[in-house]
């Protein structure tokens, strides 16, 4: 079914404007037959953040911003889905055009600006599917015009705690002016303190909901030191490394489109984001697990992310070019690697190459 869907949809979607193609993909998934997904190889199961993931491949935030199709994505074989970023109030985002394909680079630039239907609508959708099972995380962000952005995050934690498998605190999008400032020392400490406090207040009613922090790949190592120190001291449950980059690799072939403002994702981000996974892993010292994101477009790329320190990985941009069949391809490759090397689980190789990677020359962008 997935092969047939890709064979039909990829040529059509690539012919359309990127944002129109995205909207059409969401609509198509809404009508996906409710078939039960094939069971995953037991060796691909991952225990992280107190949750049991059937496999380590997740849909990254940004695809299903307003929780329209999480169950369709789970049926297609994802081990987990992250919806959002959701903001308290509905938000139109930045003016179009704001999404660009760099075809020859297998990359995407976006400056969407947290466009979403708002917390009320997303909450209603998640509540309606609450009995379906599966891991669905909620990526939370602040409204662009909010007078108190930290209060926005707190409100969203309190709102979504009963229906979220986990939270991702997104302070790393480059498309909301000033948002990345919340990654800085005292501001981040205050934000995480208030977020964790909000989670604790609703724990009795909503249960224990893990809180993850998503960071930018553009942090300096000194900034990363500070971020990890704050994350550990505030006892977050994990980190997601990383969001899109504002840097532009000199080897990009789509030179005209590369000049568009916004965050770059896809294959050109792979080396930088993987290095940041390794750098974060050695600093975290096992205090909590990591999710690796950025340029994962094959089983080999997924394995490299895991060996750099990621317990789980997420995809998005690569699906534009490879289709949904990529999910099963990666799972097959990972299971084959475990079988070939005589290992029982992916946890045995998480971070195996982290120290080596951190000793290499810094990857250019």
């Amino acid at each position: 079914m997935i092969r047939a869907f890709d064979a039909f949809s990829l040529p059509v979607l690539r012919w359309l404007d990127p944002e129109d193609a995205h909207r059409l993909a969401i609509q198509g998934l809404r009508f996906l037959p409710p078939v039960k997904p094939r069971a995953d190889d037991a060796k691909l199961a991952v225990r992280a953040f107190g949750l049991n993931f059937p496999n380590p491949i997740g849909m990254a935030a940004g695809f299903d911003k307003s929780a329209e199709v999480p169950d369709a994505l789970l049926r297609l074989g994802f081990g987990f889905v992250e919806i959002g970023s959701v903001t308290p109030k509905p938000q139109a985002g930045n003016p179009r055009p704001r999404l660009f394909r760099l075809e020859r680079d297998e990359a995407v630039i976006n400056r969407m600006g947290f466009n979403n239907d708002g917390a009320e609508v997303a909450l209603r959708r998640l509540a309606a599917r609450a009995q379906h099972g599966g891991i669905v995380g909620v990526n939370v962000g602040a409204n662009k015009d909010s007078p108190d952005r930290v209060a926005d995050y707190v409100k969203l934690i309190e709102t979504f705690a009963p229906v979220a498998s986990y939270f991702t605190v997104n302070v790393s999008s480059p498309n909301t002016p000033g948002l990345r400032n919340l990654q800085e020392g005292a501001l981040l400490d205050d934000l995480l303190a208030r977020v964790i406090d909000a989670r604790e207040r609703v724990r009795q009613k909503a249960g224990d909901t893990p809180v993850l922090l998503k960071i930018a790949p553009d942090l300096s190592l000194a900034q990363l030191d500070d971020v990890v120190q704050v994350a550990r001291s505030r006892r977050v449950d994990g980190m997601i490394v990383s969001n899109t980059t504002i840097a532009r690799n000199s080897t990009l072939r789509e030179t005209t489109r590369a000049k568009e403002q916004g965050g770059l994702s896809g294959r050109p981000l792979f080396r930088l984001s993987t290095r940041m996974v390794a750098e974060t892993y050695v600093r975290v010292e096992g205090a909590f697990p990591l999710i690796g994101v950025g340029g994962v477009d094959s089983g080999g790329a997924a394995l490299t992310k895991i060996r750099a320190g990621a317990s789980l990985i997420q995809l998005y941009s690569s699906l534009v070019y490879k289709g949904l069949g990529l999910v099963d391809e990666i799972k097959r490759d990972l299971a084959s690697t475990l079988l070939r090397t005589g290992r029982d689980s992916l946890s045995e190789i998480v971070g195996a190459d982290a120290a080596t990677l951190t000793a290499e020359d810094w990857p250019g962008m």
Side-chain angles (χ1 to χ4, degrees):
M1 182 183 70
I2 294 174
R3 284 198 297 269
F5 183 84
D6 283 344
F8 170 76
S9 65
L10 280 178
V12 174
L13 295 176
R14 295 269 290 279
W15 180 75
L16 296 173
D17 167 84
E19 191 164 348
D20 292 339
H22 174 260
R23 189 66 240 161
L24 184 61
I26 292 285
Q27 293 292 86
L29 288 170
R30 292 178 69 177
F31 295 103
L32 194 70
V35 295
K36 189 175 181 179
R38 184 171 62 247
D40 289 312
D41 189 316
K43 289 187 176 183
L44 295 181
V46 175
R47 173 80 175 168
F49 324 121
L51 302 172
N52 294 315
F53 296 79
N55 72 70
I57 316 302
M59 173 61 92
F63 179 79
D64 189 7
K65 293 176 179 292
S66 299
E68 295 180 79
V69 290
D71 290 301
L73 293 168
L74 291 170
R75 291 197 298 270
L76 287 170
F78 285 98
F80 62 109
V81 173
E82 187 171 311
I83 67 102
S85 295
V86 179
T87 54
K89 296 184 295 185
Q91 188 161 274
N94 294 320
R96 294 181 64 170
R98 54 191 180 180
L99 187 63
F100 308 89
R101 299 189 200 99
L102 282 66
E103 299 268 357
R104 289 184 293 168
D105 301 296
E106 293 191 17
V108 172
I109 291 174
N110 92 83
R111 51 172 181 263
M112 303 298 288
F114 284 174
N115 57 305
N116 73 104
D117 293 340
E120 183 179 343
V121 171
L123 177 64
R124 186 167 65 244
R125 289 170 178 158
L126 290 178
R129 56 87 47 203
Q131 304 305 315
H132 292 187
I135 296 176
V136 179
V138 178
N139 184 301
V140 294
N143 280 114
K144 182 178 180 179
D145 60 356
S146 173
D148 185 347
R149 288 179 171 176
V150 174
D152 280 8
Y153 289 96
V154 169
K155 180 179 180 180
L156 291 167
I157 298 294
E158 294 170 342
T159 299
F160 283 96
V163 296
S165 300
Y166 68 86
F167 285 109
T168 297
V169 177
N170 185 359
V171 291
S172 52
S173 170
N175 301 315
T176 296
L179 188 77
R180 284 190 170 188
N181 294 340
L182 290 174
Q183 295 175 116
E184 297 174 1
L187 293 176
L188 181 62
D189 187 61
D190 177 60
L191 169 64
L192 291 181
R194 291 175 62 183
V195 162
I196 296 297
D197 181 62
R199 191 267 306 272
E200 295 305 307
R201 283 200 305 274
V202 297
R203 184 195 292 267
Q204 191 167 358
K205 288 193 303 179
D208 191 7
T209 312
V211 171
L212 282 56
L213 174 68
K214 187 169 185 175
I215 64 170
D218 305 310
L219 296 172
S220 69
L221 293 183
Q223 290 172 318
L224 181 62
D225 289 339
D226 292 342
V227 167
V228 171
Q229 187 275 324
V230 171
R232 292 181 64 172
S233 69
R234 289 299 173 187
R235 298 185 181 277
V236 302
D237 298 282
M239 288 176 61
I240 301 184
V241 187
S242 63
N243 213 317
T244 58
T245 179
I246 57 174
R248 297 293 184 265
N249 194 316
S250 60
T251 63
L252 290 173
R253 291 182 286 179
E254 299 277 5
T255 54
T256 300
R257 283 194 175 150
K259 296 175 183 176
E260 294 286 351
Q261 288 187 331
L264 174 74
S265 59
R267 179 173 285 183
L269 179 56
F270 179 74
R271 290 184 65 225
L272 176 61
S273 60
T274 303
R275 177 61 177 268
M276 290 296 285
V277 168
E279 296 285 354
T280 305
Y281 180 83
V282 300
R283 286 162 171 77
V284 167
E285 299 178 309
F288 46 70
L290 307 179
I291 299 179
V293 199
V296 177
D297 60 4
S298 67
L303 184 64
T304 299
K305 263 312 187 241
I306 292 167
R307 292 182 66 90
S311 295
L312 302 159
I313 66 168
Q314 289 178 324
L315 315 174
Y316 180 5
S317 298
S318 58
L319 300 174
V320 173
Y321 300 100
K322 300 292 183 69
L324 289 164
L326 177 62
V327 178
D328 278 340
E329 177 189 320
I330 292 175
K331 290 193 290 186
R332 285 194 303 269
D333 285 352
L334 292 177
S336 176
T337 297
L338 291 175
L339 180 64
R340 187 176 65 254
T341 58
R343 292 184 169 94
D344 293 324
S345 74
L346 292 167
S347 63
E348 296 178 38
I349 56 173
V350 171
D353 295 337
T356 302
L357 286 170
T358 58
E360 293 179 354
D361 291 339
W362 194 259
M365 276 300 294

